[in-house]
Amino acid sequence: MSQSVKTQSKLSSFFNILKQSLKGEHVDLTSISIKRAIILLAIPMMLEMAMESVFALVDLYFVGHLKNSSLAIQTVGLTESVLTVIYSLAIGLSMAATAVVARRIGEKNPEAASKAGMQTIIIAVAVNLLISIFGLLHARDLLLLMGASTETADHGTNFVRIMMGGSIIIVMLFLINGIFRGAGNAAIAMRSLWIANMANIILCPIFIRGLGPIPAFGLTGAAIATSIGRGLGVSYQVYNLFNGKNALKIRLAYFIPDWQQIKAIIKVAAPGILQFVIASCSWIFLAELVATTGGDTGSAGYQTSLRLMMFFLLPAWGLSNAAATLVGQNLGARHLDRAEQSVFQTIKYAVIFLGVVSVLFLTCGHLFASFFTEDEAVVKVASRSLKILSGGFIIYGMGMVLTSAFNGAGDTWTPTKINVFTFWVFQIPFAYLLAKYFEMGPTGVFISIPVAEIGLTIAAYILFKMGKWKKTMV
């Protein structure tokens, strides 16, 4: 009887935490138990990142059933690879926002946290304006540069123009969510992605296939639907920034540029942006290498496997973001040991989650890939890719949490240096050697990915244990 009561008590406690995490109630994360703090943050963060990954999968599903599916899939995949540079900007700025806001919240200074978040938005708008103009003018050239055939480039130019032209929406979606995560309110970030995705799921078939007076835009319709969906998500974020119902109280005066604070934010954000640009450029090179050695079929298969991989990895990234918030807030509260304990507890959860994902990909990879395309040759490449990539998932999850911990502390230079060595010094030459010299083609590229991630994790663990990140000032 007592065992049954204990079980019911644990279930009741879990559902209470689940309810609290989804409602987004304000909690002092530096004073409650570490496990409870991680769960409160991780549930909405994982759901948020799962929703972000759904964008590409929804587009991939609908365009994968168009007449020229291999061209459409390749366009979506290569565009996503180009957009990783935009994501790098967005993620770098959101990391800086999370680190600074979390530190100020930990110091019990919400006014300074609010102002720092708004100053980051000023930086994002200024930088992204130039990128959007470049994308509009050179959409076709970008596809060709990525290794797309002339036919694919002609087919996908309008898709790239819309996605690149509306990239400010992508940046805002990431950045404002980073601000809310830093404040410990991950539920708002999660709900903004829910809204964006629900709109995208509804609008994608309408704009791609047409409905009533709305013509069938085909591939271009996927870009229209995605941009509108993300725009609605950003609108929800902006509403919550100004409604005064959360820890952040926004005033219009906070949008007046404070050059000293902008300089301090850039100091944290610049290496963070560079960190992800380095990783993104590596992915772009790998995508180009697959396209040139495997043709349209190899490229489409690889891009399909990447979308599936990111669908499962992004929730793990959301889990790692919990570590970033807890590190930032605990450093602000001067709880250094608690900051470190939060990281290792988060790693345990990441290992369990990605262990399950590895088994799924090893056993059901072909089934997952066939859901998105009826081209058996593409499915075969995607299935082989998933089996190879999943071999490094558990180690990759550990590295992801450790990297997020550095970033949450504001020490964005350490993971940047790790990325330079891991991706540019090792992974790119290694992939080229396997694909071209040993004539392994796309398979050689697939093998290079988990091998490089293992090296990244080992380096991150050694540097994390050295503890210099605890002394970072933001």
Side-chain angles (χ1 to χ4, degrees):
M1 181 66 72
S2 61
Q3 185 65 36
S4 176
V5 172
K6 287 181 180 179
T7 301
Q8 290 180 359
S9 178
K10 288 181 179 179
L11 284 173
S12 176
S13 177
F14 174 77
F15 283 115
N16 285 334
I17 295 174
L18 177 62
K19 181 180 178 181
Q20 189 177 14
S21 69
L22 295 178
K23 286 180 67 177
E25 296 176 1
H26 179 67
V27 178
D28 185 354
L29 298 171
T30 64
S31 61
I32 61 175
S33 75
I34 293 175
K35 288 184 178 180
R36 185 181 182 88
I38 292 173
I39 294 172
L40 283 174
L41 287 170
I43 291 174
M45 285 181 179
M46 291 179 75
L47 291 174
E48 174 198 348
M49 288 295 107
M51 289 297 99
E52 177 59 38
S53 65
V54 167
F55 273 113
L57 288 184
V58 169
D59 291 349
L60 193 64
Y61 174 79
F62 285 110
V63 304
H65 291 81
L66 291 172
K67 185 177 181 181
N68 297 315
S69 64
S70 64
L71 299 179
I73 290 173
Q74 187 182 10
T75 298
V76 171
L78 292 178
T79 303
E80 282 291 311
S81 295
V82 174
L83 284 174
T84 52
V85 177
I86 307 295
Y87 295 147
S88 298
L89 171 66
I91 294 167
L93 286 169
S94 69
M95 283 189 323
T98 298
V100 177
V101 170
R103 191 70 67 94
R104 300 292 88 82
I105 291 292
E107 294 169 353
K108 308 298 185 289
N109 190 351
E111 293 80 10
S114 302
K115 183 179 178 182
M118 298 312 101
Q119 295 296 305
T120 312
I121 289 177
I122 293 173
I123 299 169
V125 172
V127 174
N128 195 259
L129 183 62
L130 299 174
I131 296 174
S132 296
I133 293 172
F134 180 84
L136 286 169
L137 295 176
H138 300 284
R140 187 174 183 276
D141 296 333
L142 286 171
L143 283 174
L144 292 173
L145 184 66
M146 288 294 298
S149 63
T150 302
E151 186 180 8
T152 299
D154 292 337
H155 190 74
T157 296
N158 286 334
F159 179 88
V160 178
R161 280 179 180 156
I162 294 171
M163 294 298 287
M164 292 292 289
S167 59
I168 184 62
I169 301 173
I170 298 173
V171 174
M172 286 296 104
L173 198 61
F174 272 94
L175 173 56
I176 299 176
N177 276 353
I179 292 170
F180 281 122
R181 284 195 298 268
N185 197 334
I188 293 176
M190 171 194 68
R191 288 195 289 267
S192 69
L193 266 296
W194 281 2
I195 291 170
N197 267 287
M198 284 189 287
N200 187 45
I201 291 169
I202 294 170
L203 294 175
C204 247
I206 293 175
F207 282 102
I208 291 175
R209 298 172 180 172
L211 180 68
I214 301 174
F217 288 100
L219 176 60
T220 303
I224 296 172
T226 299
S227 297
I228 293 174
R230 282 182 167 138
L232 291 173
V234 171
S235 298
Y236 176 77
Q237 291 174 326
V238 172
Y239 166 75
N240 279 280
L241 276 176
F242 286 93
N243 66 9
K245 295 180 180 179
N246 53 76
L248 301 175
K249 311 296 182 184
I250 307 303
R251 302 176 183 174
L252 290 177
Y254 294 163
F255 288 95
I256 299 173
D258 182 335
W259 300 111
Q260 185 174 354
Q261 187 163 44
I262 286 175
K263 183 179 178 181
I265 292 170
I266 291 175
K267 187 176 179 181
V268 177
I273 294 169
L274 180 61
Q275 176 187 146
F276 281 90
V277 166
I278 289 165
S280 300
C281 287
S282 175
W283 285 107
I284 290 172
F285 178 85
L286 296 183
E288 192 274 338
L289 191 57
V290 170
T292 53
T293 60
D296 288 346
T297 299
S299 181
Y302 176 58
Q303 297 301 337
T304 299
S305 71
L306 284 186
R307 301 288 77 76
L308 283 163
M309 182 184 79
M310 292 310 296
F311 177 76
F312 289 99
L313 278 185
L314 279 173
W317 190 17
L319 178 57
S320 72
N321 282 336
T325 297
L326 290 174
V327 166
Q329 290 201 11
N330 280 296
L331 288 181
R334 305 305 299 164
H335 298 158
L336 306 187
D337 290 340
R338 182 181 168 89
E340 184 170 346
Q341 291 167 16
S342 299
V343 174
F344 287 110
Q345 186 63 46
T346 307
I347 285 176
K348 291 180 183 178
Y349 296 144
V351 166
I352 294 170
F353 175 76
L354 288 174
V356 174
V357 174
S358 295
V359 173
L360 285 174
F361 277 173
L362 287 170
T363 57
C364 307
H366 187 276
L367 180 64
F368 290 147
S370 62
F371 181 74
F372 293 98
T373 178
E374 297 171 359
D375 190 325
E376 190 58 36
V378 173
V379 171
K380 185 177 180 181
V381 175
S383 178
R384 183 168 71 251
S385 174
L386 287 173
K387 287 180 179 179
I388 295 172
L389 294 177
S390 63
F393 272 11
I394 291 177
I395 297 294
Y396 184 43
M398 296 171 65
M400 197 184 299
V401 175
L402 291 168
T403 298
S404 291
F406 286 121
N407 291 326
D411 179 13
T412 47
W413 270 117
T414 294
T416 301
K417 293 172 183 176
I418 294 173
N419 281 3
V420 169
F421 181 82
T422 302
F423 296 127
W424 286 6
V425 176
F426 175 75
Q427 187 184 56
I428 290 177
F430 185 56
Y432 187 89
L433 185 70
L434 294 179
K436 294 280 185 109
Y437 185 80
F438 289 104
E439 299 182 350
M440 296 176 68
T443 301
V445 177
F446 305 156
I447 292 171
S448 72
I449 295 172
V451 173
E453 296 297 345
I454 290 171
L456 181 149
T457 301
I458 293 172
Y461 177 79
I462 292 171
L463 292 170
F464 182 81
K465 290 299 293 181
M466 290 174 66
K468 293 183 180 179
W469 55 274
K470 297 178 183 178
K471 302 175 183 178
T472 305
M473 304 298 294
V474 297

